Amino acid sequence: MIKYILKRFLGMIPTMFAIITIGFFLIRLAPGGPFDQEKKVPEQVMRNIEAKYNLDKPLYQQYLMYMGSVLRGDLGPSYKYTDNDVNFYISNSLPNSMLLGSISLLVAIILGVLVGISSAINQNSWIDYTGMSIAVIGISVPTFVVGPVLMYFLALKWQLLPTSGWISSSNGLKTLIMPVITLSFPYFATIARLSRASVLEVLRSSYIRTAYAKGLRSSVVIFKHVLKGAMLPIVSYLGPAFAGIITGSIVIETIFRVPGLGKFFVQSALNRDYTLIMGVLIVYSLILIIMNFVVDVVYAFLDPRISYR
Amino acid sequence: MKKNLLFFIVALMTVVSSFASNNAEEGNMKEPVVFRLINGGEPASLDPAMIQGVPENRIYQSLFEGLVAYDYETARAIPGVAQSWTVSDDNTVYTFKLRQTSWNDGVAITAQTFVDSWLRELDPNTAAPYAWFPSMFVKGAAEYNAGTAGAEAVGVKAIDDYTLEVTLVGPLPYALDAFAHYSFGIAPLHTIAEHGDSWTNVDKIVTNGPYKLKEWVPQDKLVVEKDPKYWDAKNVKVDQFVYLPVEDNNTGYSMFLNGEVDWMTTVPTDRMKEGLLRDDVIVSPNLATYYYVINNKVEPLTDVRVRKALSMSINRTELTERIGQAGQIPSAAMVPTMEGYPALEGNTFNVAEAKKLLAEAGYPNGEGFPVLPILYNTSEGHKKMAEFIQAQWKENLGIDVTLENQEWKTFLSSKNQHDYSIARSGWGGDYQDPNTFLDMFVTGAAMNDMQYENPEYDALIEKAATMKAGAARFEALREAESMLVERDQALIPLYTYVKVNCIDLNKWGGWAPNVLDLHPPRQIYKK
């Protein structure tokens, strides 16, 4: 098992190396540069700027310099936001994305599992239909529609909440409500459907029939036997879900003015801010790879056959 | 027992009375005046030498002050660090008398501060993106920035601690207003020497403007508060400005409607109609032109008759009324109307003449005319404009054009490489003079996207640069503009922009619409 974990862990290194290398060259292929403006600067000024950021050097040399600084933990200066480096912007904005993502995922898990179980136990009743109808809406309506609709009703029409902002503002925790609802909605929907299907499957298995036959109370069967078996697919979904919810909050961050990493990701791509794009790409890739690694390890613990393959 | 009860009552009364007195004190305290505004994007920098763009300029005007500042009504120069100035007879040498003032850490600001700051901006190693702007004005600046001359060649000199002499490249009548631009700003070199690039962080920054930096949370907010050390602090009325970097116009407008911000700098296009009905939405002409640039080297656009036909077949009034919808001013001139310089008529809507010209060029009723693309950057507004023009050319000339949409940087790259036939363009003036719209089209200039080459035009622009302010100079510029948009039709002007601002002027004073859309925070007050 330890050998398996070590192997998987070391496997992350070439993956990251490949991502950084491909990312570096791919971004440079995009037309337009970081310093192109509508008010074009004269050639001499452009030459000065390019020399300052080593953009006048051959691409392979820029790549080697970049890799060298990444290995030292320095993600370089931002070409657009020149007062601070990429490390600064990432360390300032990532915690906000993580906080929003974690709360949203927690809400999605609690509500999703509750609705999923209720729907499965009350299969084909109004509870089941209501729960699954909400889940269908959550899956099919995109967040960029849900967000503004919530803002229209909760903030503009009923004046219950501020339109947007972050917890550091005077509105405090109230600012979390709408982005959390919007971000957790599709994940809630998926978890609810997964839990329902999984609980139904377990309910039909023979060991549950045996438990009922032994005369156990319904609540004991559900909480002691059904849930234990039914939650495995949910647990395995949480890895990619966590990575997705952190990296997928870009639209929500823009609509609700959350000072998270997603906004930098979009802006840096539009600005061709090469170093900032690379920095965010590295962070997002690390989150994804680490979560996949965690899932692999958890799987290996749950099903030891995997680690022998 | 009784004793205890008495003690409890006395203690309770003491606590209650102390609360009451506290409340009374709080009631007497003046509520700080806070002005919140939507500032578009996250500021790229606070360093006057490194900034460019409107959001950064708004913050610059609260944190820093140069020789002169802008008047909120006219956007013309008013005294800043310089309290007075004189100009030489030939209008090429400005001598500024500085007031005795200091950075907010107490270090004095002298004429040498200006010399050092400007040289830092122009130093090729600083790589200041707006270094080209002072280079257009100050003698020797362009050469120093290009590395072909030393710092001593730059025409800026400290005569004594409080006298600064600036020598210009010519008698540029718009120079004084231009000195208010951030690229002529000053920077605390002693702080920069100590902290390097991170000198603009909240705990390190030293400024000289009416406000000082209080808080800066990237992508969240930037807060400045009144600086009691500012030389004119007694006339600064707003205690705090909160700059919110909101890029989404719908979010920003919703915040304004919800009373969460005091100033929103636009109205989303799809909400313009309802927005224009509001008392707190203010529309004003802007010193900016929306135009289509024509690649003068692409067939058949090389033929001036074709270019004129394209211009004359567009109904600009219908374009602004149906598509613009915000009160844009239809115009076939490159330079918008300004003091002493009314806009040219240009080659306006005349279908019969357009058809005649196209036929003369060899394309009667558009027959045989190649299908050209109109290039525009991703935006619903630009798309609608392009669709309208496509329909006009089809209807009035019988020619087909396609629409090509590109993402912003890709679009800029295509234009830079002259890889287009007809493309959308826009230009906002940096100062109130026709030259800001005309000198960029001289042969080989960076902004000359259409590759226009006309020695006569170049000579007129050069001649105007050596002339004093007055009718004769405007006449030279007018002749040049006429060459550009009437005789040669190197590009197709479509309309003059307007600025749409959302602000309640019953509540706020010291804010007025002006052609440069500049609203210095120092002058804003609560009514």
Side-chain angles (χ1 to χ4, degrees):
Chain A
M1 179 69 89
I2 289 170
K3 200 176 155 197
Y4 169 78
I5 294 172
L6 203 67
K7 215 171 103 189
R8 298 299 312 214
F9 182 78
L10 291 175
M12 292 182 355
I13 296 168
T15 312
M16 275 313 293
F17 178 78
I19 288 173
I20 297 173
T21 308
I22 294 169
F24 183 89
F25 289 104
L26 214 55
I27 287 160
R28 302 302 175 110
L29 285 180
F35 306 107
D36 285 341
Q37 303 281 338
E38 180 142 45
K39 288 195 176 186
K40 222 183 297 169
V41 298
E43 214 181 314
Q44 182 53 49
V45 175
M46 186 61 93
R47 273 209 297 273
N48 293 341
I49 295 172
E50 286 178 347
K52 182 178 176 179
Y53 294 108
N54 294 318
L55 290 172
D56 55 344
K57 297 202 165 58
L59 199 56
Y60 79 91
Q61 216 170 323
Q62 290 180 43
Y63 168 73
L64 292 177
M65 287 163 80
Y66 183 72
M67 280 309 254
S69 64
V70 168
L71 287 175
R72 289 193 301 275
D74 176 10
L75 296 172
S78 163
Y79 295 153
K80 165 83 177 173
Y81 308 107
T82 51
D83 289 6
N84 291 292
D85 58 14
V86 173
N87 290 35
F88 171 87
Y89 288 112
I90 288 178
S91 60
N92 265 277
S93 53
L94 184 62
N96 297 335
S97 293
M98 295 278 262
L99 179 70
L100 176 63
S102 307
I103 296 173
S104 303
L105 191 60
L106 201 68
V107 169
I109 294 168
I110 294 170
L111 293 180
V113 169
L114 280 177
V115 169
I117 295 171
S118 315
S119 289
I121 295 171
N122 303 292
Q123 196 188 2
N124 297 333
S125 71
W126 67 269
I127 296 173
D128 184 20
Y129 294 142
T130 312
M132 287 308 107
S133 301
I134 296 171
V136 167
I137 296 172
I139 286 172
S140 50
V141 181
T143 49
F144 61 79
V145 174
V146 176
V149 167
L150 284 180
M151 194 195 280
Y152 176 73
F153 284 105
L154 295 177
L156 290 174
K157 203 157 185 199
W158 301 328
Q159 310 256 317
L160 296 172
L161 296 170
T163 55
S164 54
W166 190 232
I167 45 177
S168 53
S169 72
S170 57
N171 290 308
L173 293 173
K174 269 199 239 170
T175 54
L176 273 177
I177 297 173
M178 284 194 287
V180 165
I181 295 175
T182 316
L183 188 54
S184 60
F185 202 21
Y187 292 91
F188 149 79
T190 310
I191 293 171
R193 285 165 64 93
L194 262 178
S195 327
R196 180 183 180 272
S198 179
V199 169
L200 279 177
E201 201 184 321
V202 176
L203 277 175
R204 286 181 196 126
S205 59
S206 46
Y207 76 94
I208 299 296
R209 274 203 304 277
T210 313
Y212 275 119
K214 273 165 45 182
L216 285 177
R217 267 184 296 135
S218 184
S219 58
V220 176
V221 176
I222 298 287
F223 287 104
K224 207 169 173 192
H225 300 287
V226 176
L227 274 189
K228 208 171 171 185
M231 284 307 105
L232 282 176
I234 311 296
V235 171
S236 60
Y237 170 70
L238 292 184
F242 181 76
I245 213 161
I246 303 290
T247 55
S249 57
I250 295 163
V251 175
I252 286 118
E253 287 182 11
T254 308
I255 296 172
F256 294 110
R257 294 198 300 116
V258 177
L261 196 55
K263 279 172 94 172
F264 278 118
F265 193 38
V266 176
Q267 280 315 313
S268 59
L270 295 176
N271 293 331
R272 304 286 194 274
D273 191 345
Y274 299 143
T275 40
L276 192 51
I277 305 174
M278 286 304 297
V280 182
L281 179 75
I282 290 171
V283 171
Y284 279 171
S285 309
L286 268 177
I287 294 173
L288 274 166
I289 288 173
I290 290 171
M291 290 322 291
N292 279 334
F293 169 72
V294 171
V295 168
D296 282 354
V297 173
V298 172
Y299 254 95
F301 273 107
L302 294 176
D303 186 352
R305 283 172 302 175
I306 289 171
S307 58
Y308 298 126
R309 270 181 214 160
Chain B
M1 186 68 188
K2 264 186 185 174
K3 227 178 187 176
N4 281 348
L5 188 67
L6 194 68
F7 175 76
F8 177 73
I9 291 169
V10 170
L12 191 69
M13 282 173 72
T14 314
V15 170
V16 169
S17 64
S18 76
F19 266 114
S21 69
N22 274 348
N23 284 342
E25 269 172 35
E26 275 170 20
N28 288 336
M29 270 174 69
K30 219 178 107 200
E31 273 278 304
V33 179
V34 181
F35 187 95
R36 295 179 178 83
L37 65 134
I38 300 291
N39 196 33
E42 169 70 14
S45 174
L46 303 187
D47 184 337
M50 299 312 292
I51 61 177
Q52 51 182 335
V54 176
E56 290 79 6
N57 190 14
R58 288 198 195 105
I59 297 169
Y60 166 79
Q61 287 175 62
S62 59
L63 294 178
F64 295 94
E65 188 172 81
L67 289 170
V68 288
Y70 293 110
D71 175 72
Y72 80 95
E73 282 180 306
T74 60
R76 297 276 187 193
I78 54 170
V81 174
Q83 53 187 350
S84 63
W85 47 85
T86 53
V87 190
S88 66
D89 289 343
D90 64 352
N91 281 21
T92 60
V93 181
Y94 279 70
T95 308
F96 292 94
K97 278 281 164 206
L98 309 187
R99 65 182 81 247
Q100 294 195 10
T101 180
S102 64
W103 295 103
N104 54 14
D105 63 353
V107 173
I109 293 171
T110 63
Q112 194 58 41
T113 311
F114 280 88
V115 176
D116 296 341
S117 299
W118 290 11
L119 291 181
R120 172 177 175 261
E121 160 105 22
L122 293 166
D123 186 340
N125 295 318
T126 308
Y130 240 79
W132 61 270
F133 194 71
S135 300
M136 281 170 45
F137 295 85
V138 181
K139 198 177 169 187
E143 291 78 4
Y144 176 48
N145 188 240
T148 54
E152 67 287 346
V154 182
V156 57
K157 202 159 67 178
I159 304 294
D160 59 46
D161 274 0
Y162 296 103
T163 312
L164 182 78
E165 187 186 276
V166 184
T167 308
L168 304 183
V169 292
L172 314 172
Y174 42 88
L176 188 65
D177 290 341
F179 286 132
H181 193 267
Y182 49 76
S183 57
F184 284 104
I186 48 172
L189 295 177
H190 59 288
T191 311
I192 299 171
E194 193 181 340
H195 300 294
D197 282 347
S198 65
W199 73 275
T200 52
N201 291 359
V202 181
D203 52 336
K204 297 169 190 155
I205 192 167
V206 168
T207 54
N208 78 320
Y211 293 88
K212 58 182 175 181
L213 186 63
K214 184 173 185 249
E215 197 183 351
W216 183 13
V217 184
Q219 300 286 16
D220 186 19
K221 64 183 165 189
L222 185 143
V223 184
V224 299
E225 65 179 2
K226 189 175 162 178
D227 191 342
K229 290 184 178 149
Y230 177 62
W231 65 270
D232 195 24
K234 66 177 189 305
N235 289 318
V236 175
K237 305 294 183 198
V238 174
D239 296 297
Q240 255 185 34
F241 274 83
V242 181
Y243 294 86
L244 299 167
V246 182
E247 308 231 351
D248 187 86
N249 284 340
N250 277 302
T251 300
Y253 188 56
S254 295
M255 289 173 75
F256 178 75
L257 296 182
N258 216 27
E260 292 169 31
V261 291
D262 302 295
W263 176 21
M264 164 66 187
T265 53
T266 187
V267 171
T269 321
D270 56 342
R271 295 164 88 175
M272 191 64 81
K273 260 189 181 168
E274 58 165 84
L276 293 181
L277 298 173
R278 295 177 62 92
D279 291 342
D280 49 12
V281 172
I282 297 150
V283 182
S284 57
N286 188 211
L287 199 69
T289 303
Y290 190 97
Y291 61 100
Y292 269 19
V293 60
I294 303 173
N295 193 336
N296 284 212
K297 305 276 185 202
V298 168
E299 291 289 346
L301 302 172
T302 46
D303 189 331
V304 66
R305 290 168 299 186
V306 171
R307 301 199 294 265
K308 278 187 184 173
L310 293 176
S311 173
M312 294 167 105
S313 54
I314 301 168
N315 186 339
R316 292 169 175 79
T317 310
E318 208 182 321
L319 173 82
T320 51
E321 282 174 2
R322 273 184 46 202
I323 314 296
Q325 296 191 0
Q328 290 91 346
I329 304 155
S331 170
M334 187 62 209
V335 183
T337 294
M338 56 180 83
E339 213 180 312
Y341 193 97
L344 275 181
E345 195 189 344
N347 293 320
T348 49
F349 191 48
N350 185 341
V351 178
E353 182 64 20
K355 277 183 164 170
K356 196 177 132 220
L357 284 166
L358 198 66
E360 280 173 22
Y363 308 101
N365 295 317
E367 286 156 24
F369 198 86
V371 179
L372 298 174
I374 296 181
L375 181 69
Y376 63 93
N377 56 297
T378 312
S379 142
E380 200 49 39
H382 298 325
K383 186 181 170 206
K384 284 182 184 165
M385 294 282 172
E387 282 170 349
F388 177 85
I389 287 167
Q390 182 186 38
Q392 291 268 293
W393 284 344
K394 177 72 185 164
E395 191 185 323
N396 298 332
L397 297 178
I399 63 171
D400 289 307
V401 290
T402 56
L403 304 187
E404 196 180 333
N405 168 31
Q406 285 181 353
E407 175 269 345
W408 179 234
K409 290 277 183 177
T410 313
F411 168 80
L412 290 178
S413 168
S414 299
K415 275 211 321 185
N416 285 348
Q417 292 165 19
H418 310 298
D419 182 18
Y420 74 97
S421 302
I422 301 164
R424 179 214 78 84
S425 268
W427 180 258
D430 287 308
Y431 45 89
Q432 297 179 59
D433 188 274
N435 188 64
T436 187
F437 288 90
L438 298 176
D439 71 348
M440 59 183 171
F441 299 123
V442 296
T443 308
M447 281 297 294
N448 188 349
D449 287 323
M450 64 270 193
Q451 307 182 77
Y452 178 55
E453 286 173 16
N454 182 348
E456 281 178 79
Y457 179 84
D458 298 351
L460 278 168
I461 298 295
E462 206 172 303
K463 182 181 158 198
T466 61
M467 296 168 82
K468 283 187 183 179
R473 180 174 167 274
F474 275 173
E475 202 39 58
L477 289 168
R478 204 170 178 75
E479 202 185 323
E481 189 193 356
S482 171
M483 221 172 257
L484 181 79
V485 299
E486 287 176 336
R487 197 190 81 182
D488 296 342
Q489 195 77 66
L491 41 82
I492 306 177
L494 293 167
Y495 62 79
T496 301
Y497 278 90
V498 286
K499 268 307 294 180
V500 182
N501 282 293
C502 312
I503 181 169
D504 183 357
L505 294 183
N506 292 318
K507 186 178 173 191
W508 299 102
W511 189 106
N514 58 57
V515 289
L516 289 182
D517 197 36
L518 290 167
H519 311 283
R522 163 183 154 187
Q523 294 164 69
I524 295 174
Y525 63 91
K526 194 172 185 179
K527 284 182 176 170

